[in-house]
Amino acid sequence: MGVPKGPMRVPLELGAKLMCRWRGEEYKSCEIIERKQKSLPDGTTDPSGEWEYYVHYEGLNRRLDEWVGLERFDLGSVNDDGKVTRNSTNKRKHEHEEHEEEGELDLATLKEHEEATKVKNISRIVMGKWKMETWYFSPFPKEYSKSEMLYICEYDLNFFARREQLDRYIQTKCRYFHPPGDEIYRETKVINGEEHNIAIFEVDPQYQRAYCENLCLLAKL
């Protein structure tokens, strides 16, 4: 398995099925769901003209879908037109069992929902000292859809495309250093030899609408 020498003249076609390197040297069958040209950190198109592909691995939950580069594919079955000569398809088979929470939707609405949410728009988030990979699509504003990393304020859940924006916000504009509500529970626990204070806050969406909206966006990831 490997990448053929020389650049592809055109990108791989959507719906193509081929083998992709998944973990280490393991290869799994996948389907190309979406594609885009690589971008620079400032959001402009990479002058190299290289493409990235959003793939779904057969037999795995869609939370493991991801963007990969051309070097991850076994292109032994791809010709110069970007078409796959074996195991190709033009339609993705949706696994409806992954959408149990949407079981009451009619098929047309479910199909429309799946089409709109099939590609994760945010790959990773940073919140406090934690960096996390996301699982699913969340309807953040479109201007954040090209952000490789989203930086979230751990106090009021406001979000930013760049670390320096978050740091400046916390230093100059952040009004709260805890959830904006009433503390209703507190407990001290020792975890891995360290003492931690655990608190639960009750937040009223009538008065803290922005916080609650941000919490919902975060929960969908």
Side-chain angles (χ1 to χ4, degrees), residues 70-123:
L70 190 66
E71 71 281 356
R72 294 271 297 275
F73 293 116
D74 167 24
L75 299 178
S77 60
V78 180
N79 59 31
D80 289 339
D81 294 326
K83 296 181 180 179
V84 178
T85 57
R86 68 169 185 262
N87 296 332
S88 62
T89 182
N90 291 323
K91 183 178 181 180
R92 181 186 185 187
K93 294 180 181 178
H94 296 290
E95 298 179 6
H96 294 292
E97 63 270 17
E98 294 180 359
H99 301 280
E100 293 179 359
E101 71 278 8
E102 297 145 11
E104 297 182 359
L105 298 178
D106 60 81
L107 290 179
T109 303
L110 181 58
K111 183 176 180 180
E112 181 180 352
H113 172 78
E114 288 180 335
E115 182 65 25
T117 63
K118 66 182 180 181
V119 177
K120 284 187 291 189
N121 51 339
I122 305 295
S123 297

Side-chain angles (χ1 to χ4, degrees), residues 137-213:
F137 171 91
S138 183
F140 280 88
K142 289 185 177 180
E143 57 265 32
Y144 294 93
S145 62
K146 292 185 178 181
S147 301
E148 186 68 19
M149 191 92 69
L150 197 64
Y151 298 89
I152 298 178
C153 176
E154 60 184 314
Y155 305 114
D156 61 12
L157 305 186
N158 272 305
F159 45 87
F160 305 87
R162 300 196 304 273
R163 163 70 76 177
E164 56 267 27
Q165 291 177 321
L166 171 61
D167 292 341
R168 184 167 59 250
Y169 173 79
I170 292 176
Q171 294 172 7
T172 62
K173 294 184 178 181
C174 186
R175 296 172 53 199
Y176 302 97
F177 292 93
H178 56 74
D182 298 326
E183 183 177 337
I184 59 175
Y185 175 83
R186 179 179 287 267
E187 181 179 355
T188 300
K189 284 191 173 183
V190 177
I191 303 175
N192 295 328
E194 295 184 2
E195 191 174 274
H196 295 268
N197 292 319
I198 300 174
I200 297 177
F201 288 78
E202 185 177 58
V203 180
D204 189 340
Q206 181 177 354
Y207 301 103
Q208 301 294 340
R209 179 174 178 176
Y211 180 88
C212 293
E213 288 179 348

